[in-house]
Amino acid sequence: MKRAISISLGSRTRDKKVSITLLGEEITIERIGTDGDVEKAIQLYNEMDGNVDAFGVGGIDLGLTVAGRYYPLYDAQQLVAGVRQTPVVDGGGLKMTLERGIAQFIEQEIGDEVQPKRVLITAGVDRYGSALSFDEAGYDLIFGDLGFALGIPIPIRSLRGLHVVARVVAPLAGRLPLEFLYPTGEKQVQIVPKFTKWYDWATVVSGDCLYIKHHMPDRLDGKVIATNTTTPVDVEAFRQRGVRYLVTSTPRLEGRSFGTNMMEAALVAIAGKGRPLTTDELDEMLKRLGLKPTLQRLDE
């Protein structure tokens, strides 16, 4: 049986292990949180290297790809610097494949109910595939990169603006400590409402689930949440705030959806090539699997 492990800087309360069959091959996929303990994460990567078929890096990206440019996050890359045998992915491949059509999926399924066409994307540099998707679908945009990642309450209102910010800020952000860029450990379960005007303006709120939750207001009545990793607790938190629809870009397995890093690691493990898959290879596997986003109504 193949085995894919996601080692995350996030809370252990989100851990999950399931066994599934993909393309006729059995695989165990497991998420292991370290509550923000960087040294523990490094230890786990090094201990399991060569003993599992693929690693996913959870809780942080190894780098960001925006408009064809790659911006490494150097602190994050130290997590896997000691890995020599097991292929490592951070979900970036699925963000540019599975999430590339997220807006078109929403339009096909519930487009008539999404009015006006406005989306808040919590961090466009992290979900560039989603950014392209919503832009092509004709949505008005707010990218919250400066606010959600750096605490600077300035909205970015166009794809061109996101490109400019990425070129200026991403090389600097790549040198920042991990805790400056992403909530880790217990901070992942804290909700501190901020940027309420952005949430109120949007019909769709898209991005990393922890980013969305971290600053969401008490009410999100009638809105669509488009995200990836969700636990039953996350779903209930959105339901209690009046969210109408939840769209997850990765499939739900035994009541929850796993992150793009975990699912990409599973595909790498199944492929058995001993390396990360190219975008074309991921696209081909996704077509064979018939994977697509899932839609769940929460306000019934």
Side-chain angles (χ1 to χ4, degrees):
M1 180 182 288
K2 297 290 181 72
R3 188 180 179 202
I5 300 285
S6 171
I7 298 171
S8 175
L9 293 177
S11 171
R12 287 180 294 177
T13 62
R14 302 175 72 85
D15 285 357
K16 183 79 173 181
K17 179 179 180 179
V18 301
S19 295
I20 58 175
T21 300
L22 294 176
L23 299 177
E25 184 110 39
E26 288 189 33
I27 180 171
T28 296
I29 61 177
E30 181 178 6
R31 181 216 188 257
I32 302 174
T34 65
D35 291 327
D37 188 335
V38 172
E39 293 305 317
K40 178 64 174 178
I42 292 173
Q43 178 187 345
L44 289 171
Y45 280 119
N46 293 342
E47 287 178 353
M48 295 184 182
D49 185 23
N51 297 314
V52 299
D53 296 286
F55 282 130
V57 178
I60 194 67
D61 294 313
L62 296 176
L64 306 167
T65 299
V66 181
R69 298 188 183 190
Y70 183 72
Y71 303 96
L73 298 179
Y74 293 99
D75 230 20
Q77 294 191 352
Q78 291 305 306
L79 292 169
V80 296
V83 176
R84 296 288 181 264
Q85 301 177 62
T86 300
V88 179
V89 294
D90 64 358
L94 282 191
K95 290 176 185 177
M96 287 303 296
T97 51
L98 199 58
E99 295 188 358
R100 185 64 175 79
I102 190 74
Q104 287 70 30
F105 173 81
I106 291 172
E107 285 301 294
Q108 177 181 329
E109 298 294 324
I110 53 171
D112 291 345
E113 298 182 55
V114 184
Q115 299 293 341
K117 306 294 183 186
R118 295 176 179 174
V119 61
L120 165 63
I121 299 179
T122 55
V125 296
D126 177 48
R127 322 301 283 206
Y128 190 64
S130 294
L132 293 174
S133 181
F134 280 105
D135 183 67
E136 290 173 1
Y139 278 65
D140 292 331
L141 307 166
I142 283 183
F143 298 109
D145 298 59
L146 295 175
F148 285 86
L150 301 176
I152 302 171
I154 298 176
I156 304 164
R157 296 185 180 272
S158 68
L159 205 57
R160 181 176 179 276
L162 181 68
H163 294 165
V164 171
V165 169
R167 286 196 296 270
V168 173
V169 176
L172 302 175
R175 301 286 182 181
L176 292 175
L178 297 179
E179 60 267 22
F180 275 82
L181 299 174
Y182 197 82
T184 59
E186 290 306 311
K187 291 182 180 178
Q188 292 192 346
V189 299
Q190 297 174 357
I191 298 177
V192 183
K194 290 177 69 175
F195 317 120
T196 302
K197 289 183 179 179
W198 300 354
Y199 283 94
D200 290 346
W201 171 88
T203 313
V204 179
V205 182
S206 178
D208 184 274
C209 186
L210 292 174
Y211 262 176
I212 292 172
K213 285 181 61 184
H214 192 47
H215 292 314
M216 66 182 178
D218 292 334
R219 301 306 308 171
L220 292 166
D221 294 293
K223 297 191 185 298
V224 178
I225 301 293
T227 186
N228 56 341
T229 314
T230 56
T231 67
V233 172
D234 298 330
V235 175
E236 186 58 29
F238 291 140
R239 181 181 283 112
Q240 289 179 358
R241 283 166 172 78
V243 170
R244 176 167 295 173
Y245 289 105
L246 173 64
V247 179
T248 53
S249 58
T250 49
R252 300 191 70 78
L253 304 172
E254 295 187 7
R256 66 161 290 176
S257 58
F258 287 84
T260 49
N261 79 89
M262 180 77 268
M263 296 309 298
E264 187 173 342
L267 296 180
V268 169
I270 290 295
K273 297 179 181 294
R275 60 165 174 79
L277 300 175
T278 66
T279 300
D280 287 343
E281 288 171 335
L282 284 171
D283 262 331
E284 176 61 27
M285 289 193 76
L286 291 173
K287 288 176 183 176
R288 290 169 62 193
L289 287 165
L291 288 184
K292 62 179 183 178
T294 57
L295 175 71
Q296 183 178 2
R297 182 150 189 171
L298 301 185
D299 65 347
E300 293 180 327

